[in-house]
Amino acid sequence: DDRIGLLGVNGAGKSTFAKMVAEALAIEHGHLHRDRRMRVGWFHQHQIEAMDPTDTPLDIIRRAMPEASEASRRSRLAQYGFNRDKVETTVADLSGGERARLLLNMVAAEAPHLLILDEPTNHLDIDSRRALLEALNDFAGAVILITHDRSLMEMVADRLWLAADGTITPFEGDLEDYSRYVIERAKARVRAPTQVREEAPAPAPPPPPPARKAPTGNARRRAEAAEAALARATEAVAELDRQLSAPDVFAQNPDRAVALGKQRDVAQAKLEAAEAEWMAAVEAYEALKAGVG
């Protein structure tokens, strides 16, 4: 029943670690020790993007339950929240939340001993997030959670691990300690000379604590803007990773591969700065809320 929150800036290796534990990525060096009888359920946001837009929920569950009757399949989908009309709706016409809900339920249906959730709430609405939280609280197995959703992390994780500098270690502290850690590392990275990548812009320091009660609107908008900037920076890195992962990019166009690598370095630096700014903005907003309350 471990509830482990996996922390770390984008690119630190969180998803790579998850893939190795889920046996979706072969290790290149060293050894990985795990019980072969352990069933691992792995949900990640890219599964949603990889869904066939012409599939329907009924098509998907037919492949997952080939021996079941049609009535059993439809009953299972109804349990997932898909009514008679929705079961034959194509993926292209489902919302992001509906796709995520379908995939999450499909993962849970395998009765895993360990559930790995990589950004599970990106496409979920408030009701679906609440249902996910309740389901995790009822889940009898272990959970490894990777998310930028601070409230979900606080409500689920009772232990924190940190991915940094090519390793994963227990993190002694809470999410506020982690916010300070990220900000300090980002500042140190900007101050340090580099020969490879463009220097990341220094994140704006968090505002001083208010001397009196003040409205939180500006801080909330700053946090929302920082979250949107973080999402854009994350997508920019993901897009460059997709281009770099093309099988023939290095063989057929090495100059383009080198250029993409340099762009990826710059994008990663901007992403780390955006994450530090988001952490600082959220921390400032929550401090203001506490003062107003």
Side-chain angles (χ1 to χ4, degrees):
D1 60 350
D2 282 332
R3 297 293 188 269
I4 299 166
L6 188 55
L7 307 173
V9 298
N10 289 71
K14 302 186 298 294
S15 295
T16 299
F17 175 72
K19 291 176 186 177
M20 290 193 295
V21 175
E23 294 193 312
L25 180 67
I27 62 172
E28 296 180 357
H29 304 285
H31 302 279
L32 174 66
H33 301 281
R34 53 166 286 173
D35 192 321
R36 289 292 168 183
R37 296 168 297 179
M38 181 177 71
R39 293 189 301 274
V40 177
W42 178 41
F43 172 84
H44 55 96
Q45 57 183 331
H46 299 302
Q47 286 173 308
I48 298 173
E49 301 164 4
M51 295 176 77
D52 186 337
T54 63
D55 263 348
T56 67
L58 199 53
D59 293 330
I60 294 169
I61 206 163
R62 279 174 182 151
R63 292 194 292 269
M65 303 171 59
E67 306 299 325
S69 66
E70 195 74 354
S72 297
R73 295 169 183 149
R74 289 177 178 270
S75 176
R76 179 66 65 85
L77 287 170
Q79 294 172 18
Y80 297 169
F82 291 86
N83 59 27
R84 182 179 301 177
D85 296 330
K86 284 291 185 182
V87 298
E88 297 192 38
T89 301
T90 62
V91 165
D93 292 324
L94 293 176
S95 69
E98 288 169 331
R99 299 181 202 181
R101 177 152 40 90
L102 174 61
L103 290 176
L104 278 166
N105 279 286
M106 297 290 288
V107 169
E110 299 297 323
H113 301 108
L114 170 62
L115 190 57
I116 304 174
L117 301 176
D118 192 345
E119 300 294 354
T121 61
N122 276 12
H123 300 277
L124 299 184
D125 57 25
I126 293 175
D127 290 337
S128 297
R129 291 184 185 203
R130 186 179 300 113
L132 173 63
L133 178 61
E134 292 172 357
L136 289 177
N137 287 335
D138 294 337
F139 180 59
V143 175
I144 294 177
L145 177 64
I146 305 169
T147 182
H148 284 104
D149 188 334
R150 180 165 178 161
S151 62
L152 180 67
M153 183 72 82
E154 288 177 333
M155 288 186 285
V156 172
D158 53 24
R159 300 168 59 192
L160 298 176
W161 289 356
L162 175 65
D165 304 322
T167 188
I168 292 177
T169 55
F171 183 76
E172 302 299 335
D174 56 20
L175 289 179
E176 291 185 4
D177 295 321
Y178 174 65
S179 298
R180 288 189 287 270
Y181 165 84
V182 170
I183 292 169
E184 289 306 315
R185 276 184 66 105
K187 289 179 179 177
R189 197 180 193 91
V190 170
R191 288 193 297 265
T194 177
Q195 297 179 341
V196 178
R197 71 171 112 203
E198 214 176 82
E199 289 187 357
R212 56 182 176 82
K213 292 183 178 180
T216 62
N218 289 339
R220 176 178 56 79
R221 286 190 289 273
R222 178 191 171 200
E224 290 172 350
E227 184 174 6
L230 177 61
R232 291 193 298 271
T234 301
E235 178 55 33
V237 172
E239 174 58 29
L240 288 165
D241 284 341
R242 282 193 287 270
Q243 294 183 47
L244 284 166
S245 64
D248 300 329
V249 66
F250 288 94
Q252 295 185 359
N253 197 339
D255 290 339
R256 173 170 170 72
V258 171
L260 285 172
K262 292 180 179 178
Q263 292 175 31
R264 207 269 184 202
D265 287 339
V266 173
Q268 179 64 36
K270 291 180 179 179
L271 176 57
E272 291 173 8
E275 186 162 20
E277 165 61 17
W278 174 74
M279 287 285 189
V282 169
E283 185 175 346
Y285 174 47
E286 292 185 350
L288 271 177
K289 282 200 301 182
V292 171

